[in-house]
């Protein structure tokens, strides 16, 4: 299992490879889930995606606030799903 730091780095790099025209498209959501599920459990990824969609207006907006991204990826309620 990948630790938080490795996951955050992988996701941050992945974000740089995908762009969006605004809003969370189905493709954006699939891209995030594909990246996340390579390193984490689906339940964790679903939780993190939901939190990101609440916090950010689009997939590309994630790069504008890395602190918020790190907070989401390390949120205890999502991490608790990873441990189950």
């Amino acid at each position: 299992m990948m630790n938080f730091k490795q996951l955050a780095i992988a996701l941050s790099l992945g974000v740089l490879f995908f762009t969006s025209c605004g809003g969370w498209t189905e493709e954006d959501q699939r891209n995030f889930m594909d990246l996340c599920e390579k390193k984490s459990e689906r339940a964790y990824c679903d939780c993190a995606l939901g939190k990101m969609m609440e916090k950010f207006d689009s997939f590309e907006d994630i790069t504008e606030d890395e602190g918020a991204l790190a907070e989401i990826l390390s949120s205890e309620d999502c991490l608790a799903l990873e441990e189950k």
Side-chain angles (χ1 to χ4, degrees), residues 1-59:
M1 184 181 314
M2 179 173 262
N3 69 35
F4 167 73
K5 183 178 177 183
Q6 292 170 323
L7 178 61
I9 291 168
L11 289 175
S12 295
L13 291 174
V15 166
L16 297 175
F17 290 106
F18 299 106
T19 59
S20 173
C21 296
W24 281 87
T25 66
E26 287 184 29
E27 183 179 1
D28 291 337
Q29 294 173 50
R30 275 194 310 273
N31 288 337
F32 171 79
M33 291 299 289
D34 288 346
L35 285 169
C36 185
E37 287 180 322
K38 289 179 182 178
K39 308 296 179 186
S40 298
E41 299 293 323
R42 181 171 184 85
Y44 169 84
C45 295
D46 284 335
C47 179
L49 177 60
K51 288 183 176 294
M52 283 190 226
M53 290 176 68
E54 289 174 11
K55 177 75 176 172
F56 299 104
D57 292 330
S58 69
F59 191 62

